[in-house]
Amino acid sequence: MACRKSVGDDFIVAFRFGACDYMEGGSEIKDIPTAARIFEQAGIDFLDISGGHCIYTIKGKTAPGWFAELSKPAKQAVKVPVMLTGGVKTGEDAEKLLEGQAADLIGVGRSMMRDAEWTQKALAEVQ
């Protein structure tokens, strides 16, 4: 991977992967393990799972961890850490996804942007 060559081994290379397009003719869940292994072999240090290139939410999915069905097959296929994002609002949400082996790391964006003290509150929930 040109990026790995450019930054060397002492720099973390993360890859955000729109793992399923949810569109006819696009990438499918069954493609995830193969793609994840290719990225790992190319030298990434961790894989950040999201939805596809054209659609980044799934209609009807409102539960935390929108893309858990995508992160699980990636996590099972590779040794590098896999991060899951999408709809995580509380520390308990994150903890349940980790306990369910949906991912190794949980990404939280909007909840943290809404509340500067989100991290402290989330940690208090799970301790």
Side-chain angles (χ1 to χ4, degrees), residues 17 19-20 25-39 73:
F17 175 37
C20 182
S27 60
E28 299 178 29
I29 292 174
K30 67 180 178 63
D31 301 324
I32 294 170
T34 300
R37 284 191 289 271
I38 290 169
F39 302 138

Side-chain angles (χ1 to χ4, degrees), residues 82-96:
V82 172
M83 183 163 76
L84 168 63
T85 59
V88 175
K89 295 180 180 144
T90 67
E92 289 176 352
D93 292 344
E95 193 68 21
K96 285 179 186 174

Side-chain angles (χ1 to χ4, degrees), residues 66-108:
W66 298 331
F67 303 113
E69 69 182 1
L70 309 181
S71 62
K72 284 183 178 184
K75 179 175 169 31
Q76 293 168 354
V78 296
K79 293 184 172 121
V80 297
V82 172
M83 183 163 76
L84 168 63
T85 59
V88 175
K89 295 180 180 144
T90 67
E92 289 176 352
D93 292 344
E95 193 68 21
K96 285 179 186 174
L97 290 163
L98 292 171
E99 288 172 357
Q101 300 292 304
D104 301 297
L105 304 161
I106 303 297
V108 179

Side-chain angles (χ1 to χ4, degrees), residues 99-119:
E99 288 172 357
Q101 300 292 304
D104 301 297
L105 304 161
I106 303 297
V108 179
R110 289 178 181 94
S111 294
M112 291 180 76
M113 289 172 40
R114 285 186 198 110
D115 183 357
E117 296 178 5
W118 185 90
T119 303

